[in-house]
Amino acid sequence: MFDCEDLFKAKIVRLILLKRVNEALQELGSYYSVDVPRLKVGMPKRYRSKVGCYVSKTKCIHVVNQEKLGDPFVILHEFYHHLRTQDGRHRGTEKNANKFALEFIEAFKKCSE
């Protein structure tokens, strides 16, 4: 049996897999009552070795290429950083960002069985 939260998380992952990322970010922003971050393909200079990053100054999630737009782990990991940034200061950890993303992916797997 699935609960509402699992269904929501599965829906978000599905939207990202379909590369409907802006729609997924809208839903996440609404669900968590936060502004919707911008989304950009291409990395800022100091993050070129990464596949994704969140820049709090611009409230923007960056991904390295079009392919990563469809990667739920990357998008959700970076959304967690957006969620945990307050007054320009980040209050989360990489470990918790990974956990956040994996919870969504696990809910998707569970609902897909």
Side-chain angles (χ1 to χ4, degrees):
M1 192 68 167
F2 311 118
D3 62 22
C4 289
E5 190 170 352
D6 281 342
L7 292 174
F8 171 76
K9 289 177 178 181
K11 176 183 177 183
I12 296 300
V13 171
R14 183 176 174 276
L15 287 171
I16 296 168
L17 289 170
L18 294 171
K19 293 192 178 182
R20 292 167 49 189
V21 183
N22 285 319
E23 190 176 338
L25 292 174
Q26 290 282 342
E27 297 256 352
L28 287 163
S30 178
Y31 185 82
Y32 289 104
S33 300
V34 296
D35 292 335
V36 177
R38 294 178 347 149
L39 185 62
K40 186 173 180 182
V41 175
M43 299 298 288
K45 285 183 184 177
R46 64 185 250 204
Y47 298 99
R48 298 218 188 223
S49 64
K50 310 275 186 197
V51 295
C53 73
Y54 175 70
V55 179
S56 60
K57 187 176 184 179
T58 59
K59 296 184 179 181
C60 185
I61 293 173
H62 293 260
V63 293
V64 70
N65 56 35
Q66 289 284 335
E67 183 181 318
K68 290 299 175 187
L69 281 176
D71 186 331
F73 184 83
V74 173
I75 300 298
L76 290 163
H77 177 101
E78 300 310 333
F79 180 81
Y80 175 84
H81 291 305
H82 171 70
L83 190 61
R84 298 296 296 149
T85 300
Q86 299 167 347
D87 301 322
R89 295 187 60 201
H90 185 258
R91 303 193 185 280
T93 65
E94 291 300 308
K95 179 181 169 183
N96 287 337
N98 290 343
K99 182 180 175 203
F100 179 83
L102 290 173
E103 285 174 2
F104 277 77
I105 293 166
E106 288 304 315
F108 176 78
K109 288 177 182 176
K110 188 164 86 171
C111 292
S112 298
E113 292 177 342

